[in-house]
Amino acid sequence: MAGTTARRPVRVPVPGGALAGWTTGTAGPRLLLVHGGGVDARIWSEVLDPLAAGCRVATYDRRGAGRSRPLPAGDPVADLRAVRAEVFGTAPAWLLGSSLGATVALAAAVRYGTAGLVLESPAFANSPADRRQAVLRAAAGRGAPALVEAWLGDPHLGPRRPAARDLLGTVLAANVDLFTAPPAGAFTPPGSDRLRRLTGAGVPVLVLAGERDAPELLDHYAEVVPAAGGTLVRVPDAGHLVHLDAPDRWRAEVHGFLLRRSPG
């Protein structure tokens, strides 16, 4: 993971092996980044250093991805808890997840609590069915080039910035087996009603969505997020992975929300 801010590697013991992670930044709110399905923590490369300018940041390769392989099936929510405990101890920490990682972060917040929650393009149990996963799995079965072409060619998924397309293509190609392997563990996504329980308990929740993502998903966010007491920000000219399409706007929204809602 290239960058200018010092990054400290960590290894987090979990059932069956260990997860590879990194920490960076020395001051500000504690923030754990959780990447989505089919990729690894390198997906945060362009935003990690800017975030570390105002936060203490940690990220990790989820079970079976990147340098956290090979590992047997396991509980992604328990894995997240193990990483958080290893890098932040018992200190309050925020969770920031992308796509499937956002769903895992939400489940962890419900199960274990959190100081705050930032969800990029989450999927809830009651979200519209995502037909893209079947397309991507079929493409992955034909090999890494077909997977990269299918993802980057999808107008809702593929970023438009050349640097982001290069980064995503590299990460997808390195993790093609995640699309063809059996699920890494039993995991039931929480419903959007869980947002209300969290906000009712005083947990700040920000949902970031790209205006180019699937229209049915955007409509769903508009219906459920404000009604649950969360803050919804729709970012123009961004797709499913908002931080790849609009890294400066994404970072500004995340920093602003954390600094407004974090004590001190």
Side-chain angles (χ1 to χ4, degrees), residues 32-239:
L32 177 58
L33 308 183
V34 189
H35 68 78
V39 296
D40 59 45
R42 288 176 293 171
I43 207 68
W44 303 115
S45 293
E46 291 186 300
V47 297
L48 199 59
D49 287 341
L51 277 182
C55 301
R56 286 167 281 194
V57 184
T59 187
Y60 66 106
D61 287 337
R62 292 175 50 234
R63 184 177 290 261
R67 295 195 288 180
S68 295
R69 59 169 61 155
L71 283 174
D75 182 348
V77 181
D79 285 351
L80 186 158
R81 186 190 194 194
V83 174
R84 184 170 64 178
E86 179 72 23
V87 298
F88 294 136
T90 59
W94 285 66
L95 302 178
L96 189 161
S98 172
S99 193
L100 178 59
T103 309
V104 173
L106 173 60
V110 170
R111 190 185 301 181
Y112 303 121
T114 186
L117 200 57
V118 179
L119 307 175
E120 176 189 83
S121 308
F124 306 114
N126 56 321
S127 293
D130 188 351
R131 300 175 181 86
R132 297 174 295 195
Q133 291 303 310
V135 174
L136 295 176
R137 285 188 178 277
R142 300 192 297 273
L147 170 63
V148 173
E149 181 179 3
W151 188 303
L152 296 184
D154 187 308
H156 306 305
L157 293 175
R160 292 177 175 173
R161 297 172 49 248
R165 292 176 68 85
D166 289 346
L167 171 62
L168 179 58
T170 297
V171 175
L172 286 170
N175 290 281
V176 63
D177 54 306
L178 293 176
F179 289 89
T180 56
F187 174 62
T188 302
S192 60
D193 61 299
R194 298 293 182 170
L195 294 179
R196 170 63 70 184
R197 297 191 185 187
L198 290 171
T199 60
V203 175
V205 176
L206 170 66
V207 175
L208 292 167
E211 290 280 14
R212 285 196 291 103
D213 206 347
E216 63 271 20
L217 193 57
L218 297 176
D219 290 344
H220 183 63
Y221 295 153
E223 177 184 353
V224 303
V225 175
T231 299
L232 174 63
V233 174
R234 291 170 57 153
V235 179
D237 200 29

